[in-house]
Amino acid sequence: MARKSEKAATSTTLGNLGIAPYKEKKGEEYMNADQRAHFRNILETWKKQLMEEVDRTVTHMKDEAANFPDPVDRASQEEEFSLELRTRDRERKLLKKIKGSIQEIDDEEYGYCESCGVEIGVRRLEARPTANLCIDCKTLAEIKEKQLGK
């Protein structure tokens, strides 16, 4: 039986990370040092959380691995392990995106749409810290994706 749902394993809500939302100040410059530090904290915390989950999975699979004589029990365990490994694979890809976002912060390119260059927005980035498209470009990309049937 899985220990966590797949959605919970990759959740990015600030509450799950134990981080308060950024309080924007009137007239504040977008992606200033405080905002970059805030998003670095979110990304580093999320990365740490995912790495801890990887360690727990390895330990769990070592501890729980058994050679059940009953084929149904063995199949059940193999299915559980398969689901966990699929989740970890998705998280591995997510870790790559997180590292890329941290690099963008270092390069002072974080928070701007890769397609059109406009500000992505603090609230959108808090909801999806690895976002690299503004909401308009993302919507357009999804429409194109649906039309092409991908």
Side-chain angles (χ1 to χ4, degrees):
M1 192 174 292
R3 294 179 331 272
K4 262 185 171 181
S5 74
E6 289 181 20
K7 186 172 181 168
T10 58
S11 178
T12 62
T13 60
L14 296 177
N16 288 349
L17 296 175
I19 299 172
Y22 183 80
K23 292 189 187 229
E24 293 182 75
K25 297 147 192 105
K26 190 171 176 133
E28 177 178 44
E29 182 184 342
Y30 181 72
M31 270 314 128
N32 60 43
D34 289 343
Q35 290 177 0
R36 286 193 305 272
H38 174 72
F39 287 107
R40 177 181 296 281
N41 182 31
I42 290 171
L43 290 162
E44 293 286 353
T45 303
W46 194 15
K47 179 180 163 186
K48 182 178 177 233
Q49 188 181 64
L50 290 171
M51 294 304 293
E52 288 170 355
E53 190 61 31
V54 167
D55 292 341
R56 278 193 290 275
T57 296
V58 170
T59 303
H60 171 71
M61 290 180 82
K62 283 181 183 176
D63 293 346
E64 297 296 319
N67 191 7
F68 294 110
D70 181 28
V72 174
D73 289 340
R74 194 168 43 249
S76 178
Q77 183 184 51
E78 287 175 10
E79 181 64 20
E80 176 190 340
F81 286 176
S82 175
L83 287 172
E84 280 194 52
L85 290 173
R86 245 184 289 160
T87 300
R88 296 298 88 78
D89 187 52
R90 269 199 298 285
E91 289 174 353
R92 179 187 56 80
K93 292 172 185 171
L94 180 56
L95 281 167
K96 189 174 180 179
K97 286 183 178 182
I98 291 170
K99 289 175 186 175
S101 294
I102 292 170
Q103 185 59 51
E104 285 179 6
I105 290 172
D106 292 342
D107 297 341
E108 296 187 4
E109 296 174 2
Y110 182 76
Y112 296 92
C113 180
E114 286 183 357
S115 181
C116 69
V118 302
E119 299 172 358
I120 292 174
V122 172
R123 296 297 162 241
R124 174 160 165 68
L125 288 169
E126 283 183 328
R128 190 67 182 167
T130 57
N132 55 8
L133 296 174
C134 68
I135 196 70
D136 292 335
C137 289
K138 182 63 177 173
T139 302
L140 186 59
E142 288 175 354
I143 290 170
K144 286 179 182 177
E145 208 173 278
K146 282 181 185 176
Q147 288 175 343
L148 297 174
K150 289 185 179 180

